[in-house]
Amino acid sequence: PNPNNDILRIESNEPSVLLFRLIDSNGKRVSEKLFFEKMEFDTKSLPKGTYVVQVSLGDGSRLHAEKLIISN
């Protein structure tokens, strides 16, 4: 949910390895992580701001992108 101050949780029914990317408002990649079905990302240490969360298939084809607001 937005805004987020704690833990970002992602779940998928996609039967393959997925790639999580977190990108800041300047286009810089803040985090990148492979996962399968579920993952959690601690957002407590992120500075306030707007980010983009991207989830892609392991081959790089994008499944979903969404704005994330950090307001800690």
Side-chain angles (χ1 to χ4, degrees):
N2 273 314
N4 185 294
N5 299 320
D6 193 3
I7 302 290
L8 173 65
R9 291 175 179 85
I10 298 176
E11 292 186 26
S12 173
N13 294 327
E14 196 65 42
S16 67
V17 174
L18 299 170
L19 175 63
F20 160 82
R21 282 190 182 129
L22 184 65
I23 299 167
D24 70 13
S25 59
N26 295 316
K28 180 182 174 193
R29 190 177 305 153
V30 175
S31 181
E32 184 172 273
K33 208 172 165 178
L34 291 173
F35 72 101
F36 184 77
E37 292 183 0
K38 295 180 183 181
M39 70 152 285
E40 292 186 350
F41 181 78
D42 187 349
T43 63
K44 291 177 208 156
S45 64
L46 292 174
K48 276 186 186 181
T50 303
Y51 297 81
V52 174
V53 174
Q54 294 178 342
V55 177
S56 306
L57 292 174
D59 67 5
S61 55
R62 186 179 304 165
L63 290 177
H64 188 75
E66 188 168 321
K67 182 168 52 170
L68 174 68
I69 298 168
I70 302 297
S71 62
N72 40 351

